[in-house]
Amino acid sequence: MTEKIQKILSNLGYGSRRSIEKIIEKGNVFLNGKRAIVGQRVDKNNPGEIFIGNEKIIFKEHKKLEIIIYNKPIGEICTRNDPKKRLTVFDKLPFLNLSRWISIGRLDINTKGLLLFTNNGELANQLMHPRNKIEREYYIRVFGEININTINILKTGVKIKDGYVSFKSIELISKNKSKNKWFKGVLCEGKNREIRLIFRSIKCQVNKLIRIRYGNIFLPKNLKEGGWEKLNDKSLNDLCNLVK
């Protein structure tokens, strides 16, 4: 049985299929001594020698699916290697033998809260894909004038650089008279800086952003910033069932 090379490498934890396709296009993936091409099919049971750069890929049968929750602090970036030597979300994760952690979605450097990681690239790709409409829930602190009309606009849709986006739900959760107000919002996409751009479009500024849920997985209240924990079997199965 054969599979596309980008899918095989994704399942081994070397990135999403899209990110691996980019690596292949740059000529950095080799199959049996020759540069691989996107979409090239490989025998799953006898794949031959595959290298990403100078790293030889080691195949391990029946790899157990793992998913962990990480409580990301502000100041960490969601890149595996940073030329500026900043802290990354991968620095504190547990060691994986013969595999790599893949982040299921991202958070920008100034956003904190729930991040999920898995060792299965195909699952990560499915959980991030817009067609599956996986909910992401946030606490959002906003500076600016907001009323019922603007809240309705946020639900209907506003135009940002990538097109029209809207909250699936958005509700005010602070009742004070301050111009800094807390909201709880739910989106079904994960575009770069999406929430900040949405509020900027109505002349408001997000000054604190915390992700508290991804799909049916909530950020544990007792998980400290910079800490991680594995999903138990029930939570793992419940998350996987969202994309079946």
Side-chain angles (χ1 to χ4, degrees):
M1 184 177 178
T2 65
E3 274 191 348
K4 293 179 180 179
I5 189 169
Q6 61 264 33
K7 184 175 181 181
I8 288 177
L9 293 176
S10 177
N11 288 340
L12 287 170
Y14 285 88
S16 67
R17 276 185 285 172
R18 185 175 298 177
S19 66
I20 292 170
E21 285 172 3
K22 291 179 181 178
I23 297 172
I24 294 172
E25 288 170 352
K26 290 179 180 178
N28 293 328
V29 177
F30 298 85
L31 174 62
N32 296 327
K34 297 181 180 179
R35 280 193 171 90
I37 59 174
V38 174
Q40 186 170 353
R41 304 195 72 87
V42 177
D43 188 333
K44 288 178 63 177
N45 298 317
N46 186 24
E49 283 193 340
I50 300 179
F51 283 79
I52 298 179
N54 295 321
E55 179 181 358
K56 184 177 181 179
I57 306 305
I58 299 174
F59 291 84
K60 185 180 180 182
E61 294 182 358
H62 308 301
K63 181 180 64 175
K64 181 183 177 182
L65 174 64
E66 294 191 62
I67 302 175
I68 59 173
I69 302 174
Y70 179 66
N71 189 355
K72 176 192 174 298
I74 291 173
E76 292 183 357
I77 60 174
C78 292
T79 302
R80 193 177 299 276
N81 298 302
D82 179 47
K84 297 180 181 179
K85 306 299 181 184
R86 293 172 292 183
L87 291 174
T88 84
V89 294
F90 294 93
D91 291 338
K92 299 173 186 173
L93 302 186
F95 175 75
L96 266 184
N97 187 31
L98 301 178
S99 189
R100 290 185 176 189
W101 291 115
I102 302 166
S103 62
I104 302 172
R106 293 183 165 212
L107 295 175
D108 67 52
I109 191 170
N110 294 315
T111 301
K112 65 180 183 177
L114 184 151
L115 268 178
L116 294 173
F117 292 84
T118 181
N119 62 341
N120 187 297
E122 180 63 20
L123 176 63
N125 186 64
Q126 291 177 3
L127 287 168
M128 289 185 286
H129 203 288
R131 71 168 176 266
N132 290 316
K133 300 186 183 301
I134 306 297
E135 292 184 352
R136 290 89 154 159
E137 187 170 2
Y138 300 82
Y139 285 139
I140 313 159
R141 191 176 72 183
V142 180
F143 177 81
E145 296 291 343
I146 299 179
N147 53 39
I148 293 176
N149 290 333
T150 49
I151 289 177
N152 288 334
I153 289 171
L154 296 177
K155 292 179 181 179
T156 304
V158 298
K159 187 176 182 180
I160 61 174
K161 60 182 180 180
D162 293 325
Y164 282 89
V165 292
S166 62
F167 282 97
K168 182 175 182 180
S169 66
I170 180 82
E171 61 176 307
L172 177 68
I173 57 175
S174 63
K175 303 297 183 181
N176 58 57
K177 294 182 180 180
S178 167
K179 286 192 175 181
N180 282 302
K181 290 184 171 57
W182 281 97
F183 292 83
K184 185 162 66 173
V186 176
L187 293 167
C188 293
E189 293 185 69
K191 294 179 180 178
N192 184 35
R193 300 180 63 82
E194 184 173 20
I195 291 176
R196 299 180 192 277
L197 292 171
I198 288 174
F199 278 97
R200 186 183 298 172
S201 73
I202 59 168
K203 296 180 170 50
C204 294
Q205 181 181 1
V206 173
N207 51 36
K208 187 166 285 189
L209 188 57
I210 308 167
R211 184 153 71 194
I212 58 170
R213 177 170 66 90
Y214 197 107
N216 47 22
I217 305 300
F218 286 85
L219 181 67
K221 292 182 178 179
N222 60 349
L223 183 60
K224 295 180 179 179
E225 289 187 16
W228 60 269
E229 64 179 45
K230 288 187 178 182
L231 288 189
N232 59 37
D233 288 343
K234 182 182 184 306
S235 295
L236 188 150
N237 289 330
D238 288 346
L239 183 65
C240 291
N241 285 335
L242 293 178
V243 293
K244 280 190 173 181

